[in-house]
Amino acid sequence: MKTLDNFINGRFVASTSGRFGPVFDPASGEQTAQVGLSSAAQVGEAVEAARAALPGWAGMRPLKRGRILERFRILLEDHQEDIARLICREHGKMFDDAMGEVARGIENVEYVCGIPELLKGDYSREVGPHIDSYTLRQPLGVCAGITPFNFPAMVPMWMYPSAIACGNTFVLKPSERDPSASLLAMELAREAGIPDGVLNLVNGDKEAVDALLTHPDVAAVSFVGSTPIARYIYATAAAHGKRAQALGGAKNHMVIMPDADMDKAVDALMGAAFGSAGERCMAISIAVPVGEGTAEELRRRLIPRIKALKVGPWTDRNNEMGPLVSAQHLERVRGYIARGIEEGAELVVDGRGLKVPGHESGYFIGGSLFDHVEPEMSIWQDEIFGPVLGMARVADFEAAVALIHAHSFANGTAIFTRDGDTAREFADRIEVGMVGINVPIPVPVAFHSFGGWKDSLFGAHAIYGPDSIHYYTRLKTVTERWPTGIRSGAAFNFGGTGDH
Ligand code: NAD
């Protein structure tokens, strides 16, 4: 059986812990590889390689770093299909979806190819007599990233391109369920000329994560995953004196106003709720139709569309939805459907009976629809992370806003309406980090930043884009006097630069 190794100091090295995790093909349920789960000692080796590479890389002119990243971007584009296939095999998502994921990842590399421009500081002349001030943004040191299974190529690229462009070195700990896409990216990084030790990858589980969180030479930790782990990562990293950003789970609501274009709203909901089998942190999991008429029409239109979803393996390009990532996750999603019925929601479409001929051991489930979902139900409160759409009916716009505000997650949300006043008010008032107006999954492009509010993000910075340049650098402000020969005398009063 194939064993997936670590990538440390520019070389693939086998895990020495003797512990392994299985990697499955979710469409067949078969184990296709095993991944070495690194010990704390091996994580230490990766951090040491990153620390040793730091002076050379941080000292390289940003223009040169940008040019190397440009070569990396081209290689990633050349291998987009190879990376997408690895994602499909280990995650199970559809090929076109995986291609889109890789494209959105590459955009983050593209953004930081212009790193000299992004690192430009502020300059003020004559802040005092013959005194000027300017700012520098300098790297933090060794940075670490811990990523989830659901975007195995893109989410790591939310982190390491910005981190290394800013002059840091990096250790990535990808999801142990689907590490191959990132392993290929490491190979391409080496081919692009990213020096040994600048970008490292350690596979592993909690032991490897804890080693990164507590290692004295790790300056900053970025995390994307579920909220309980995000909370733990943020607290532990901070307790060890590190900069931390930890993005967590989500429950994203889409409000459908009575004046919405229903055709567009239904199309949008189908993709946003069932694309990637609902395993997206920006998936819409609750539809909020405003008014009974809207709710009835939405329900009437959704039922046949959900029943007609083409579910099957990624190898058939006609399929729209693949399997869930693992047998455990399939059981969890099935459990939520059972719980929703017990809690009194109406299961209008039940995806549990789905069979995919020839793939009986794959982790498939059809799309499901619940109506009359209420806030006291676990299917409203919890992130199910599967193809289960809930409808929560509300009487008016105010009730829709109140429902969204009642949730502890606040990653993304959307409103479908033709009314500009309503749309603007929604964008202004809603307490959610990313808002779509007639756009169901408002994932910001690479030159904006991505981040939720409340329990969907712990930390002061959003991820990738302009915020990432601030996150991955330390601000230094220099105040200088030239020429030195200017006589100013001793100043004992505060603010004593001369002429306040
Ligand atoms: P997860 O939290 O189980 O795992 C994420 C990472 O944390 C993995 O690398 C895993 O090895 C590590 N990990 C797991 N348990 C740990 C522990 N006890 N201690 C230390 N490390 C641990 O998440 P997942 O199942 O891989 O991904 C799905 C979750 O990620 C969903 O909740 C989804 O909403 C979230 N997600 C959020 C965003 C966002 O931008 N907010 C994006 C993608 C995914």
Side-chain angles (χ1 to χ4, degrees), residues 114 231 234 340 357 374 445:
R231 212 186 279 278
Y234 187 68
E374 301 287 342
V445 289

Side-chain angles (χ1 to χ4, degrees), residues 147-150 158 173 176 223-226 248-249 281 383 385 450:
T147 53
F149 79 85
N150 66 324
W158 286 0
K173 205 302 283 173
E176 61 274 40
F223 172 87
V224 175
S226 60
C281 66
E383 181 183 45
F385 223 54
F450 178 112

Side-chain angles (χ1 to χ4, degrees), residues 146-151 155 158 173-177 204-206 209-210 223-227 229 232-233 247-250 280-281 383 385 411 450 456:
I146 299 146
T147 53
F149 79 85
N150 66 324
F151 285 105
V155 169
W158 286 0
K173 205 302 283 173
S175 171
E176 61 274 40
R177 285 182 234 164
D205 54 8
K206 182 169 168 56
V209 172
D210 285 346
F223 172 87
V224 175
S226 60
T227 287
I229 312 296
Y232 166 75
I233 300 279
L247 283 71
R280 289 180 182 143
C281 66
E383 181 183 45
F385 223 54
N411 212 38
F450 178 112
S456 294

